[in-house]
Amino acid sequence: MNAVADKKSVAFYTLGCKLNFSETSTIARDFDKQGYDRKEFDEPADIYVINTCSVTENADKRFKTIVKKAQKQNKDAFTIAVGCYAQLKPEELAAVDGVDLVLGATEKFKITDYINQLSKDQPAQIHSCEIDEADFYVGSYSIGDRTRAFLKVQDGCDYKCTYCTIPLARGISRSDTMENVLQNARDIAAQDIKEIVLTGVNIGDYGKGEFGNKRHEHTFLDLVKELDQVEGIERLRISSIEPNLLKNETIELVSRSRAFVPHFHIPLQSGSNELLGKMKRRYNRELYVDRVARIKETMPDCCIGVDVIVGFPGETDDHFMDTYKFLSDLDISYLHVFTYSERENTEAAVMDGVVPMNVRKKRSKMLRGLSVKKRRAFYESQLGNTKTVLWEAENKEGFIHGFTENYVKVKTYYNPELVNELQTVQLVEIDEDGIVRVQVL
């Protein structure tokens, strides 16, 4: 008997990055095509799909909690794990009570093919490839809300950063074809979505593997030029790009662009050249300073976000203070702070100079405090300016929130007619919650 023939509802939960969200949406659309009812994760469903992340210890631990949540809704439901953690540790996930199926990097996009083989009476099934078989590209995009979509343009990574498991979880760097990306962008525009955020593992590497080999038919700059011409998309945002791959020409093009907004997120990881070397990053702090200066010369109001890791093996107090001062002096807008956590099968996991966890946490807290100050200073620098806001759907205590093109979070009194509208406003004052109040012009 087919165990799931009469099962028609499915719910999804995504851990991790924007790229995961775009892939969950693509998987969900496959279920839609097969006639499944989409449910919220906190509702009873017949199938629960959890898209996992392996970047931090925390994401690993959360998985068990989420499985329990699904089981609580329906103990007879099928629970399926996909994503990065499912590729790296399939046996570990399969051993979690309540998990029925674990799909690795290539199998996750064929999920509906596996469902009919499931039975609650059997141990969890694992379908996971050797990661060097993950050499084909599956395009995807997510529509998380009515206002913006995450569009995947690239997957995998050829870099060998010593702390990172992503190449082990996602395989080699490969790209969508230009034609596919542009078609996906047009499909998104047709749904009256005003903003697209470009995502991938290493999007500055776009073009590599576009035709199943290493030659670049197109570059990231070509992609930016072409996307800027897509009609119906009001805003395009670059989610995260390596400093060594962010070229002057791209910065110049964004500054003159019709749709690309003045907002870059550029991973730094450390302000110490010695640690950048140990991490096998492909730039030094001097190049990073140059990128920030170049952006601010061409776009003085540009928002610049920074990723930084604290507690990497060998990070002394001097190294950390060097990074703190480096970031403090830099004209950036906010930080994403990651507390280093050891990952199996990475070079860093066996390096000397392990930083005690209490020290890592203290350093993380200091940098988070610096981020608050940086964001506040950036917001203050924008007061009095006229900007465009894209309003979001949620009513939070009588206010509607949105972001300006240069990523200042703003609010005004809730009006349902504003949802998914672009509106010209003046930035007036910073409220006690740190969000900027605006005057509609």
Side-chain angles (χ1 to χ4, degrees), residues 36-56:
Y36 284 82
D37 273 346
R38 190 100 64 95
K39 299 283 190 185
E40 293 299 320
F41 203 81
D42 55 5
E43 295 178 324
D46 300 310
I47 297 164
Y48 291 94
V49 179
I50 304 167
N51 194 352
T52 63
C53 167
S54 67
V55 171
T56 63

Side-chain angles (χ1 to χ4, degrees), residues 162-399:
T162 55
Y163 52 81
C164 186
T165 56
I166 287 175
L168 302 172
R170 284 188 169 270
I172 58 171
S173 178
R174 55 210 189 271
S175 309
D176 205 350
T177 62
M178 180 76 83
E179 193 181 317
N180 270 3
V181 174
L182 295 176
Q183 187 53 53
N184 281 341
R186 286 190 283 267
D187 289 348
I188 292 165
Q191 296 177 59
D192 192 33
I193 285 162
K194 303 283 199 298
E195 180 173 309
I196 289 179
V197 183
L198 301 185
T199 75
V201 174
N202 187 358
I203 64 173
D205 208 22
Y206 176 81
K208 190 186 281 185
E210 192 182 348
F211 298 95
N213 54 30
K214 287 298 173 195
R215 77 188 168 88
H216 276 65
E217 180 80 9
H218 298 103
T219 63
F220 184 68
L221 181 64
D222 296 333
L223 180 71
V224 169
K225 281 179 183 165
E226 292 293 328
L227 281 168
D228 203 32
Q229 308 302 315
V230 175
E231 285 181 28
I233 293 297
E234 304 279 345
R235 280 184 175 182
L236 286 151
R237 204 177 286 278
I238 297 168
S239 65
S240 181
I241 185 166
E242 294 284 307
N244 49 303
L245 295 174
L246 178 55
K247 306 298 185 196
N248 287 343
E249 294 84 354
T250 305
I251 295 168
E252 186 60 37
L253 196 142
V254 169
S255 74
R256 293 182 282 102
S257 160
R258 175 194 70 81
F260 276 90
V261 295
H263 175 204
F264 290 96
H265 193 92
I266 314 167
L268 169 69
Q269 312 309 13
S270 175
S272 155
N273 281 341
E274 185 189 334
L275 287 184
L276 288 172
K278 284 183 76 177
M279 291 174 172
K280 291 192 178 169
R281 301 294 285 158
R282 298 192 178 194
Y283 54 86
N284 56 23
R285 61 189 262 160
E286 288 74 21
L287 176 106
Y288 199 93
V289 169
D290 180 73
R291 298 298 76 203
V292 171
R294 176 63 68 130
I295 291 166
K296 286 293 187 174
E297 272 166 34
T298 54
M299 294 169 273
D301 286 346
C302 188
C303 179
I304 302 176
V306 182
D307 286 341
V308 60
I309 295 170
V310 296
F312 186 80
E315 184 185 62
T316 62
D317 285 343
D318 285 349
H319 286 133
F320 173 71
M321 288 315 296
D322 197 20
T323 294
Y324 187 95
K325 185 171 186 318
F326 179 74
L327 289 164
S328 190
D329 293 345
L330 210 54
D331 192 1
I332 54 163
S333 315
Y334 64 90
L335 306 171
H336 280 173
V337 183
F338 297 90
T339 304
Y340 172 75
S341 63
E342 287 78 0
R343 315 306 288 153
E344 268 181 50
N345 301 317
T346 59
E347 284 183 59
V350 293
M351 285 181 181
D352 294 335
V354 173
V355 178
M357 191 50 80
N358 63 323
V359 176
R360 296 184 210 183
K361 285 180 176 166
K362 182 182 158 198
R363 290 175 184 171
S364 175
K365 194 174 177 184
M366 284 177 69
L367 280 184
R368 286 176 208 277
L370 179 62
S371 181
V372 170
K373 287 180 192 162
K374 284 284 184 185
R375 197 185 293 271
R376 177 88 189 189
F378 177 61
Y379 282 12
E380 282 175 355
S381 75
Q382 297 304 301
L383 294 180
N385 288 353
T386 299
K387 296 289 174 192
T388 308
V389 177
L390 177 57
W391 295 111
E392 296 175 358
E394 210 174 339
N395 180 347
K396 290 186 182 169
E397 296 172 358
F399 286 94

Side-chain angles (χ1 to χ4, degrees), residues 8-28:
K8 281 290 172 193
S9 61
V10 61
F12 299 89
Y13 196 103
T14 306
L15 290 159
C17 61
K18 294 184 178 87
L19 180 56
N20 269 7
F21 277 93
S22 75
E23 292 181 342
T24 300
S25 282
T26 296
I27 293 165

